[in-house]
Amino acid sequence: MFGLILGAVFALMHWYLWKRLVKDTTRPGRVRRVATVATVVLALLVIATLTLGREVDPDAGQWFAWPGYVWFALLFYLFLITLLLELPRLALRGWVRRRPLEATAATSTEPPSAPAVADPGRRLFLARGVGLVAGVASASLVGTGMVTALGTPDLLRVRVPLRRLDPSLAGFRIAVVSDLHLSALLRRSHTERIVSMINESAPDLVAIVGDLADGTVADLGDAAAPLADLAPREGSFFVTGNHEYFVDPDGWVRELARLGVHTLRNERTTITRGGASFDLAGVTDVNGRSHDDAPDFDRALAGRAAESPVVLLAHQPVQVSEAAERGVDLQLSGHTHGGQMYPFHYVVAAAQPSLAGLSKVDDTWLYVTRGAGFWGPPVRIGASPDITLIELEA
């Protein structure tokens, strides 16, 4: 049912763009026929990309994933901008229906109340103008967004004070990375760059907060292999995101263990330096409920000392409400991508308590990274990728 609805939505979007950018801008003939066929092919391409992305080998999938997802982004902005341009089109309707002066002179005997007839030349000029503006604006946005998405992530440094932190642990640094989304588009070189940036920042601990891959270990294990080179002083830790449950969460947990990354699956560990310590806990993603792997905060936080601060890894920011009820000092999350493609920022912000950055819920700090990868289109507009170095303060 979801697939049928999705297909219908994309079909309507393509029909609308065909009407405005093909039929209205061309005269009957070869150009219109070619553009019509191209529109149908692009519609089938984007639907195939969305439905077959996880079903084929990444080496084969990249041949349709790249053009499919780039067209997905162009489709979205073409549709949005063309829709917005309906307003000036409506405002100029009278100009389109005005007769040229020579026509007016030739029919001066007609009564003044005779209805105006749309001028084909003016209509075509306006349609082509709208198409040109929409095309240039969309291509510029998507091109800029691709440079941002495929470029080097920002390395952010954020200081967070914890009220119960022993002063001897002040300056403890946690590298937070999320949403790598390894796929047919993001492969081994992507992971190598992330690992290199993290190691160069010399963190004490690495926290990978979900959505590592959009595929199985068999398909993307090689892309994740560089994670074995992470070299924090106190270890690397992982919690599941919603995308892990679209494929094989158990397989990825086993693979990460082989690479030296420990998964906190509704559990905690104590991080000790000298005589001081804090608790690091992790809960599974909300989507784990449908896989007998639901988040269990009580289990994850059981047995901890009340005087010791606790840092919680949880993929979705919305999980902070339960964290705050249990006195968690700091929750580290991802999931939102910072909105990834404006104006999706508003949709994500309506579903999550924070889009990106540091905020507070009751006495619990919440930090949300925009993620180091992308889902779907290789485009980020208004939401640069990032890796964050959290520095704890007493």
Side-chain angles (χ1 to χ4, degrees):
M1 181 60 68
F2 176 76
L4 289 174
I5 294 173
L6 189 66
V9 169
F10 279 113
L12 286 172
M13 291 175 71
H14 280 87
W15 175 84
Y16 171 74
L17 290 179
W18 172 83
K19 172 69 172 62
R20 285 296 185 225
L21 304 183
V22 176
K23 184 174 183 294
D24 289 355
T25 63
T26 61
R27 293 184 173 91
R30 179 182 297 177
V31 173
R32 180 181 290 183
R33 289 195 299 272
V34 170
T36 299
V37 172
T39 304
V40 173
V41 170
L42 289 171
L44 295 175
L45 175 64
V46 75
I47 292 173
T49 300
L50 291 172
T51 55
L52 300 178
R54 297 190 186 93
E55 306 301 324
V56 299
D57 180 87
D59 290 331
Q62 65 180 333
W63 293 104
F64 63 82
W66 277 107
Y69 277 126
V70 171
W71 170 244
F72 181 104
L74 283 168
L75 169 70
F76 172 73
Y77 284 110
L78 276 171
F79 178 80
L80 184 64
I81 294 171
T82 305
L83 199 62
L84 290 174
L85 290 174
E86 292 289 352
L87 295 175
R89 181 194 289 271
L90 186 63
L92 291 170
R93 185 173 58 178
W95 174 80
V96 170
R97 295 181 64 83
R98 232 179 74 194
R99 294 192 219 177
L101 292 175
E102 58 271 20
T104 304
T107 57
S108 57
T109 57
E110 293 181 9
S113 58
V117 178
D119 183 272
R122 292 188 178 188
R123 176 183 289 170
L124 189 62
F125 177 81
L126 179 60
R128 287 176 175 175
V130 168
L132 180 63
V133 171
V136 171
S138 300
S140 300
L141 281 171
V142 172
T144 301
M146 288 184 68
V147 171
T148 301
L150 297 171
T152 302
D154 298 331
L155 181 60
L156 308 179
R157 299 175 186 272
V158 178
R159 294 181 177 180
V160 181
L162 301 186
R163 62 186 182 278
R164 292 178 291 187
L165 187 72
D166 190 291
S168 65
L169 283 172
F172 190 97
R173 299 192 298 178
I174 304 173
V176 183
V177 64
S178 180
D179 301 279
L180 272 72
H181 286 289
L182 301 177
S183 65
L185 305 187
L186 293 172
R187 309 293 285 276
R188 187 184 181 103
S189 60
H190 173 60
T191 314
E192 288 174 340
R193 177 167 59 183
I194 299 302
V195 169
S196 177
M197 290 182 65
I198 291 174
N199 286 342
E200 287 174 5
S201 68
D204 296 294
L205 183 148
V206 174
I208 306 171
V209 285
D211 281 7
L212 173 65
D214 289 316
T216 64
V217 174
D219 288 336
L220 296 168
D222 180 68
L227 293 175
D229 296 327
L230 287 169
R233 300 178 183 88
E234 305 296 339
S236 302
F237 298 86
F238 173 77
V239 290
T240 54
N242 55 308
H243 280 245
E244 270 70 53
Y245 296 100
F246 296 158
V247 281
D248 180 16
D250 294 330
W252 277 111
V253 168
R254 289 191 297 270
E255 178 65 9
L256 286 170
R258 191 183 70 82
L259 297 174
V261 179
H262 180 67
T263 300
L264 294 173
R265 213 166 185 176
N266 297 323
E267 57 187 313
R268 68 175 179 86
T269 186
T270 301
I271 306 299
T272 302
R273 177 171 293 178
S277 65
F278 69 90
D279 289 316
L280 181 73
V283 292
T284 56
D285 184 68
V286 174
N287 281 33
R289 292 170 180 161
S290 59
H291 292 75
D292 296 322
D293 196 23
D296 189 335
F297 286 81
D298 292 330
R299 177 182 162 193
L301 300 172
R304 69 183 184 91
E307 67 277 5
S308 179
V310 58
V311 176
L312 176 74
L313 311 184
H315 179 62
Q316 297 198 38
V318 73
Q319 295 174 278
V320 73
S321 57
E322 293 189 69
E325 290 175 1
R326 292 162 176 81
V328 168
D329 296 86
L330 169 65
Q331 175 175 314
L332 302 175
S333 298
H335 184 64
T336 67
H337 297 204
Q340 185 166 323
M341 289 169 53
Y342 187 87
F344 283 115
H345 297 60
Y346 299 111
V347 177
V348 178
Q352 300 288 340
S354 175
L355 192 64
L358 186 65
S359 59
K360 206 167 191 181
V361 177
D362 298 332
D363 291 326
T364 298
W365 287 107
L366 169 65
Y367 183 79
V368 182
T369 172
R370 295 191 298 262
F374 52 80
W375 179 84
V379 176
R380 278 180 171 268
I381 297 174
S384 301
D386 73 62
I387 298 168
T388 304
L389 200 62
I390 298 286
E391 185 173 321
L392 302 182
E393 293 184 343

